[in-house]
Amino acid sequence: MFRRYLRLLKVRLRASSLLAMQYQADFLLDGLISLFWMASALVPLFVVFQSAQRQIEGWSFGESLLVIGWFTLLQGILEGAINPSLQGVVEHIRKGTLDFVLLKPADAQFLVSTENFLPWRAINLVAALIIFGYGFHLIGRGPSLSGLAISLVLLGTSVLLLYSLWILTVCAAFYVVKVDNLTYLFSSIFDAARWPAPVFRGVLAFVFTFVIPLAVMTTFPAEAMLGRLPWTALVWALLGSFLFAFFSRRVWLHSIGRYTSASS
C-alpha cells in the first residue's frame, strides 16, 4: 500500500514539473519573484537589529536568522506543496466536482493533497541553507550533530502541523460558501512565525504555541540547532503534531460525509 502511494506521489510530482516547465518564462519569473519576497522577509529583522550585537528577548541577530531560515523553508513547503493542492479542494466543493476525486480508487485526502505542486518553490530550500550558513557565521560556531538530527525531526512535525492546520481551514469550505478570506488570514498569521517565540507575550504567546503552534514550527527547530531545546519541548512537539494530524483527519472524514455533489 505504501509503495503504491509513493509511486502515485512520484507521478504527480513529475506531472507538476512538466507542466511548470512548459512555460519557461513564467517559471523563471516566478523564481525571481520568490527571491524578492524572501529578501523582503529579512528587511524587518535588519530594521530591528540595527546593531549586530543587539539582543531582543535573549535572541541575537545571528540566532534570529535561524528562525528566519526555518520560516523561509516552511513557507516554500506551504506555498509550493500544500497550498496549491488544497486550494483546488475549495473549487471542487464549490462546483460540486469533488465526485471525480471521491470515486477514484485511492484515499481522497491523499489525492486532493497531491493534486498540484509548484516546483520553483524549491528555491526556498537554497535560500534557507544560505540564511542558516550566515546565521551560524555570525554566531561563531556551527550546529552539533545531535542538534541537526533533532531539528530534522522537528521539520517533520512542523510540516505535519502546517498541513493539518491547512486541512482544517479547507474543511470549512464544506460548511460555508467561501473560505478565501480564511486562507488569506492563515497565510497572514503564518508571517508571525518569522520572529522568535519569546517576542510574543500574554495571549499571543499562548495562541502561537498551543492554538496555532508557530513557535513549534520555527523557534523550536532553531533552538534545537543551537543545542538549547529542552527534551520536554521535543516530546510535546511530537505529541502535539500527531494530535493535530489525528484531529484534522477526523474533521476531514466528517466533512466528506456532509458533502453534497452537483448531481445530488
Side-chain angles (χ1 to χ4, degrees), residues 61-264:
F61 179 55
E63 292 169 345
S64 299
L65 279 176
L66 301 184
V67 179
I68 285 284
W70 282 104
F71 170 77
T72 301
L73 177 58
L74 290 176
Q75 190 179 45
I77 295 173
L78 174 64
E79 298 182 2
I82 298 176
N83 191 14
S85 294
L86 294 183
Q87 277 193 338
V89 182
V90 179
E91 289 301 315
H92 279 307
I93 297 170
R94 189 177 299 165
K95 296 176 181 177
T97 56
L98 193 61
D99 306 60
F100 301 111
V101 178
L102 299 176
L103 291 175
K104 291 180 180 178
D107 183 76
Q109 185 175 341
F110 176 84
L111 291 176
V112 299
S113 301
T114 58
E115 186 173 355
N116 187 27
F117 296 95
L118 300 179
W120 54 268
R121 273 293 180 181
I123 199 170
N124 282 57
L125 172 60
V126 179
L129 293 175
I130 294 173
I131 294 172
F132 288 147
Y134 184 55
F136 278 112
H137 170 72
L138 294 178
I139 295 170
R141 63 176 178 86
S144 64
L145 290 177
S146 60
L148 280 176
I150 295 172
S151 65
L152 289 176
V153 173
L154 289 172
L155 172 61
T157 63
S158 300
V159 173
L160 189 58
L161 282 169
L162 201 57
Y163 171 74
S164 301
L165 288 169
W166 204 248
I167 281 287
L168 291 173
T169 304
V170 167
C171 282
F174 289 95
Y175 303 91
V176 296
V177 178
K178 295 191 66 176
V179 295
D180 304 76
N181 293 335
L182 283 177
T183 57
Y184 292 140
L185 176 63
F186 180 81
S187 298
S188 299
I189 292 175
F190 182 68
D191 283 343
R194 75 181 68 197
W195 299 102
V199 170
F200 303 102
R201 299 292 183 88
V203 176
L204 286 179
F206 177 82
V207 170
F208 289 156
T209 303
F210 299 102
V211 182
I212 306 175
L214 301 182
V216 180
M217 298 181 199
T218 56
T219 302
F220 280 23
E223 289 185 322
M225 295 178 82
L226 292 168
R228 64 190 193 196
L229 181 74
W231 283 102
T232 52
L234 175 61
V235 172
W236 280 113
L238 289 169
L239 290 175
S241 62
F242 285 120
L243 285 174
F244 262 90
F246 175 78
F247 179 66
S248 66
R249 174 66 175 179
R250 300 309 302 175
V251 171
W252 167 263
L253 293 175
H254 183 267
S255 300
I256 285 292
R258 290 176 53 92
Y259 171 68
T260 302
S261 68
S263 59
S264 297

Side-chain angles (χ1 to χ4, degrees), residues 10-78:
K10 289 180 179 179
V11 169
R12 294 203 156 198
L13 282 170
R14 184 171 180 272
S16 295
S17 300
L18 291 174
L19 181 62
M21 293 302 293
Q22 283 182 351
Y23 306 96
Q24 296 182 9
D26 290 343
F27 185 87
L28 294 174
L29 181 60
D30 287 337
L32 291 174
I33 293 175
S34 179
L35 284 173
F36 170 77
W37 283 114
M38 282 185 289
S40 67
L42 293 171
V43 172
L45 203 64
F46 280 106
V47 172
V48 172
F49 291 93
Q50 296 181 14
S51 171
Q53 284 73 38
R54 184 179 180 184
Q55 289 195 352
I56 295 181
E57 299 297 335
W59 286 75
S60 67
F61 179 55
E63 292 169 345
S64 299
L65 279 176
L66 301 184
V67 179
I68 285 284
W70 282 104
F71 170 77
T72 301
L73 177 58
L74 290 176
Q75 190 179 45
I77 295 173
L78 174 64

